[in-house]
């Protein structure tokens, strides 16, 4: 009997991020019949027409969204068995290359997205415990941490792979002992703990024993298809870290902006409220922006100075970010 080799297809998933109205927005794809959760935009890699993954990604994103992507970064290759398969499915195994892509919303993007059953949605709909701009989220102490603490006290199943850290230690590192210890870059660690503990619908769908043993699953964020919430968590962690050493935030800004606009965008991504004067000193010391000499009256109040990104900084020094947050 000849050897049977599994067919493999390569797809490209994109976490497309913009900031609008003070919220970090991603492009999500919804099920027209309303039977499946949201998913991330997805397109096949066509090696006959696309020389590289990135060219393929930019091509189908522009076709489906009317968005021109700025900064793009490959996140990870997600190829675990079962990602896109169902019981009895004999189709090709899908390997997906995940990307973080930054852009700015355009006036016609919503119309174009709607044609492809897509829309902009705040990423905090999927991870509500990650938004600390108005203080510590009540969800953490009311429901999420008690559920995780109960799980951390349980003995792991005998077939659980050995880990260097215990459950309580992993919980402490991911969520911190107090608000000052919160590390905004650990978004992925926190989601993976929730998944392992069986506290998200994705764990139940994937047959995790911890989820099957629960009578009721708590409403910890909006679920996504396949492992797309894990891909999104990976992108959030990466972008929050990137803010601190690369000027990626300016990919989300218009050509000219006020310092308040810039602060709002940084806060939206990091999930942290920043002291106004401290932020302005940080921006000034980083030498990332320069005044244009113009002002804006968009807020209806006192005219605010307009700034632009100093592109020359890219050749002046290697560390170009804004060191905000817990690290």
């Amino acid at each position: 009997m000849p050897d049977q080799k599994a067919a493999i297809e390569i797809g490209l998933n994109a976490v497309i991020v913009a900031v609008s109205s003070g919220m970090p927005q991603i492009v999500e794809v919804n099920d027209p019949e309303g039977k499946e959760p949201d998913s991330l935009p997805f397109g096949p890699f066509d090696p006959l027409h696309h020389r590289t993954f990135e060219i393929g990604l930019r091509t189908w994103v522009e076709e489906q969204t009317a968005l021109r992507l700025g900064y793009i970064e490959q996140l990870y290759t997600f190829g675990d068995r079962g990602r896109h398969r169902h019981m009895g499915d004999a189709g090709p195994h899908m390997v997906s290359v995940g990307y973080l892509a930054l852009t700015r919303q355009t006036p016609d993007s919503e119309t174009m997205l709607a044609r492809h059953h897509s829309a902009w949605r705040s990423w905090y709909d999927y991870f509500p415990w990650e938004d600390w701009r108005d203080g510590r989220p009540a969800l953490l102490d009311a429901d999420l941490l008690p559920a995780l603490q109960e799980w951390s006290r349980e003995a792991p199943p005998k077939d659980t792979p050995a880990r260097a850290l215990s459950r309580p230690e992993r919980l402490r590192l991911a969520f911190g002992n107090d608000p000052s210890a919160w590390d905004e870059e650990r978004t992925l660690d926190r989601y993976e703990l929730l998944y392992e503990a069986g506290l998200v619908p994705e764990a139940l769908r994937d047959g995790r024993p911890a989820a099957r043993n629960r009578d009721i699953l708590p409403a910890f964020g909006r679920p996504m298809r396949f492992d797309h919430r894990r891909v999104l968590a990976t992108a959030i962690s990466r972008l929050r870290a990137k803010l601190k050493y690369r000027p990626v935030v300016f990919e989300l800004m218009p050509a000219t902006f006020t310092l308040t606009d810039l602060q709002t965008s940084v806060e939206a991504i990091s999930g942290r409220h920043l002291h106004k004067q401290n932020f302005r000193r940080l921006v000034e010391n980083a030498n990332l922006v320069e005044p244009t000499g113009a002002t804006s009256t968009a807020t209806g109040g006192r005219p605010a100075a307009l700034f632009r990104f100093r592109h020359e900084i890219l050749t002046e020094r290697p560390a170009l970010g804004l060191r905000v947050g817990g690290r």
Side-chain angles (χ1 to χ4, degrees):
M1 182 176 179
D3 292 339
Q4 290 185 342
K5 295 184 178 180
I8 294 178
E9 290 184 357
I10 297 176
L12 306 173
N13 276 111
V15 179
I16 304 172
V17 181
V19 174
S20 177
S21 301
M23 277 292 179
Q25 308 271 356
I26 64 159
V27 173
E28 57 86 11
V29 182
N30 53 67
D31 178 11
E33 299 181 0
K35 296 179 180 179
E36 297 289 347
D38 303 340
S39 65
L40 293 171
F42 175 86
F45 172 64
D46 183 351
L48 297 179
H49 296 92
H50 305 139
R51 182 171 54 85
T52 67
F53 287 169
E54 182 174 324
I55 291 173
L57 181 78
R58 289 183 184 275
T59 299
W60 67 254
V61 165
E62 190 167 345
E63 289 174 353
Q64 294 184 19
T65 68
L67 296 169
R68 294 187 65 85
L69 301 180
Y71 178 87
I72 287 183
E73 176 179 351
Q74 188 177 129
L75 290 170
Y76 196 72
T77 298
F78 301 87
D80 292 353
R81 188 177 180 184
R83 291 187 71 251
H84 283 254
R85 292 174 67 89
H86 302 282
M87 190 67 70
D89 180 16
H93 179 65
M94 179 63 69
V95 174
S96 180
V97 183
Y99 278 85
L100 166 65
L102 307 185
T103 190
R104 304 181 189 107
Q105 292 189 15
T106 60
D108 58 344
S109 65
E110 289 190 15
T111 301
M112 180 64 80
L113 287 172
R115 294 176 188 168
H116 294 272
H117 308 292
S118 302
W120 291 104
R121 182 180 287 277
S122 168
W123 73 30
Y124 292 124
D125 288 351
Y126 304 99
F127 302 97
W129 58 88
E130 294 291 331
D131 189 358
W132 285 57
R133 290 174 294 174
D134 293 324
R136 184 179 177 89
L139 172 69
L140 281 173
D141 299 312
D143 300 298
L144 191 150
L145 283 174
L148 279 174
Q149 287 161 353
E150 179 182 348
W151 167 79
S152 73
R153 290 189 290 266
E154 298 170 356
K158 292 182 179 179
D159 58 350
T160 301
R163 291 182 178 271
L165 298 176
S166 67
R167 286 181 174 183
E169 289 171 325
R170 291 168 59 208
L171 181 58
R172 177 182 57 81
L173 284 174
F175 287 88
N177 288 330
D178 57 74
S180 65
W182 178 266
D183 184 349
E184 68 277 2
E185 294 179 32
R186 290 187 175 271
T187 304
L188 177 60
D189 295 340
R190 289 185 280 271
Y191 174 71
E192 291 197 327
L193 277 180
L194 287 165
Y195 178 88
E196 186 178 337
L199 292 169
V200 290
E202 290 92 334
L204 180 62
R205 178 201 60 208
D206 295 347
R208 298 283 301 190
R212 291 201 306 266
N213 293 335
R214 296 185 182 277
D215 295 330
I216 300 175
L217 277 177
F220 291 152
R222 190 177 175 93
M224 299 188 87
R225 293 188 74 188
F226 308 124
D227 57 356
H228 287 193
R229 196 152 45 145
R230 180 172 179 251
V231 179
L232 176 55
T234 304
I236 294 172
S237 292
R238 182 73 62 84
L239 183 53
R240 285 178 165 181
K242 211 83 173 180
L243 282 180
K244 301 173 185 179
Y245 62 92
R246 296 297 298 169
V248 291
V249 67
F250 297 102
E251 297 287 350
L252 304 167
M253 304 299 298
T256 62
F257 47 83
T258 67
L259 292 185
T260 297
D261 295 335
L262 180 60
Q263 179 175 340
T264 298
S265 294
V266 173
E267 289 177 333
I269 297 298
S270 67
R272 286 181 173 271
H273 172 70
L274 304 172
H275 186 275
K276 181 176 180 179
Q277 295 307 319
N278 289 345
F279 178 78
R280 297 197 172 203
R281 278 195 294 270
L282 182 66
V283 171
E284 182 179 338
N285 292 338
N287 204 24
L288 291 170
V289 301
E290 60 186 5
T292 65
T295 59
S296 170
T297 58
T299 60
R302 196 173 159 188
L306 286 170
F307 291 80
R308 59 177 163 244
F309 173 55
R310 283 189 64 245
H311 288 275
E312 297 84 357
I313 198 75
L314 297 172
T315 61
E316 293 174 2
R317 68 173 193 268
L320 311 171
L322 293 166
R323 299 218 41 104
V324 298
R327 293 181 68 181

